[in-house]
Each structure stands twice: as C-alpha cells, then as structure tokens.
Amino acid sequence: DSGVTQTPKHLITATGQRVTLRCSPRSGDLSVYWYQQSLDQGLQFLIQYYNGEERAKGNILERFSAQQFPDLHSELNLSSLELGDSALYFCASSLGGASHPETQYFGPGTRLLVL
Amino acid sequence: AQSVAQPEDQVNVAEGNPLTVKCTYSVSGNPYLFWYVQYPNRGLQFLLKYITGDNLVKGSYGFEAEFNKSQTSFHLKKPSALVSDSALYFCAVRDQTGANNLFFGTGTRLTVIP
C-alpha cells in the first residue's frame, strides 16, 4: 500500500458526461501528479500540482482540468467525455518542490469506462 | 526532449533463472531513471531509481539495475526469478525541464514460468 488513495475505483459513464476523480496524497506529500494509462497511448503525464499551485502540464486535453485543495487532496475533472477517454487514471504523490529528483508513489487508479 | 524505450514487449524466463528487462534512454543532460512494476489491477509500485553515484542500483524485492552511460541503458535485473515477479514493468525518466513528472516507456510484460 503506497498511502495514496483514489476514489472511485471504477466509473462507468456515457459520452458527453462529466466526471470527477479524487486523490488523497501520502501524508506529508505536497505534490500530486495525474497520469492516464490507455492501451494506445501508454502511460502519459497529465498535470502536476504542488501545494495548491499548478507546477507542470503534460498532454492534458482542454476538456480536462484539475485542482489541489488546501488539505492537499486533488481532483481531476473530465468533461464532454468521449469513448477514447476510457482509461486507467492514476494519481501519484511526492514530497515536495522537486529541486531534486523525487520518487513518486502511485495510487491504485480509477478505471473509467465511457460508453 | 527526453524519452525511454523498452525494446521488448514480452520477456519469458524460467523460475530460478536470472532475468533482465531492457531499457534505453535519451536525454540531453543528466538522466534520472526509475523502474516501476504494475501487478494486475494494481497501481505502479516503485522498485528503484538512479540519480547519481554507483552504476549498480539495488532496489526492492531483490531487483537491481545497471546504469550504463556509454550504452545509454538502464536494464533491470534479478539473479533468480520468482513466479510472483510476473508483472508489467515500466522504465521512466524524469522531465529534464526540472519538473518532477515522469516519461514512461511502453512497458515490458514479464512472465516467469514455473
């Protein structure tokens, strides 16, 4: 158990809908990362937050957004869902501001199925 | 831009034999390299990382990795494979811009045959 929690574990929804994925980082970690794992794209970095502020952005679609709250949990919002958004979404956390390379610890993921 | 490549989609090895999962990297500066393992229906588990120092890095569950700068490789190894090592293995490199996000390889599925 990494100490990173994600809810829900599974999500089934329809095209055009909006969903919210939630992540709680390990105790003491200030950075949260979101990754998408799909069969065709592999594991891709989406976005990072550090202590409430956006730190880095990857291949995140404009239909997707995220935020990190004062209690450091993070939410990933996916809107106008398409079939191709079906994937496993991982949250990871690390200690801090990453002036040096830090190990990221991953949650169990949320499996999203868009029908 | 930085990237890692895992040339083998699938590796099969007999239980008790040594195993190697290959990874090569491409970076413009110092490489910061990681190995993660993913078991079915689970998240990624950290195995080990190379930042600097000794080229042989020891990690969790008896795994180790050898950093080779001249061959730009970071192969994962274990002297004696267990059936329970069967999983999906990912090599990753840290973003060179200074952000801490990772760029992952395509993964190698390891099957240890009893």
Side-chain angles (χ1 to χ4, degrees), chain B residues 29-96:
Chain B
N30 292 324
Y32 302 123
L33 299 160
F34 298 76
W35 275 103
Y36 284 83
V37 59
Q38 184 178 23
Y39 296 99
N41 300 314
R42 303 277 294 277
L44 280 74
Q45 294 181 30
F46 169 73
L47 285 178
L48 51 80
K49 66 183 177 185
Y50 173 81
I51 306 301
T52 186
D54 288 341
N55 289 341
L56 187 64
V57 180
K58 294 194 181 295
S60 306
Y61 314 120
F63 284 94
E64 57 190 26
E66 186 173 8
F67 173 72
N68 187 317
K69 189 172 183 177
S70 63
Q71 297 185 4
T72 62
S73 66
F74 187 56
H75 300 333
L76 182 70
K77 301 183 179 186
K78 188 173 183 182
S80 179
L82 300 173
V83 172
S84 57
D85 293 329
S86 298
L88 190 55
Y89 290 80
F90 289 96
C91 180
V93 62
R94 182 191 185 232
D95 191 334
Q96 294 279 283

Side-chain angles (χ1 to χ4, degrees), chain A residues 44-104:
Chain A
Q44 286 198 102
F45 167 69
L46 296 177
I47 197 164
Q48 177 200 359
Y49 278 81
Y50 168 69
N51 205 20
E53 300 290 327
E54 182 182 305
R55 175 59 65 95
K57 219 167 188 177
N59 297 323
I60 188 166
L61 300 172
E62 286 192 11
R63 301 184 283 108
F64 296 0
S65 65
Q67 55 184 326
Q68 187 179 27
F69 294 86
D71 67 352
L72 301 176
H73 91 272
S74 177
E75 292 180 356
L76 179 67
N77 300 297
L78 315 177
S79 61
S80 302
L81 284 167
E82 302 174 0
L83 295 178
D85 297 327
S86 296
L88 194 50
Y89 291 85
F90 286 113
C91 169
S93 72
S94 71
L95 270 174
S99 57
H100 57 278
E102 294 185 336
T103 299
Q104 294 179 33

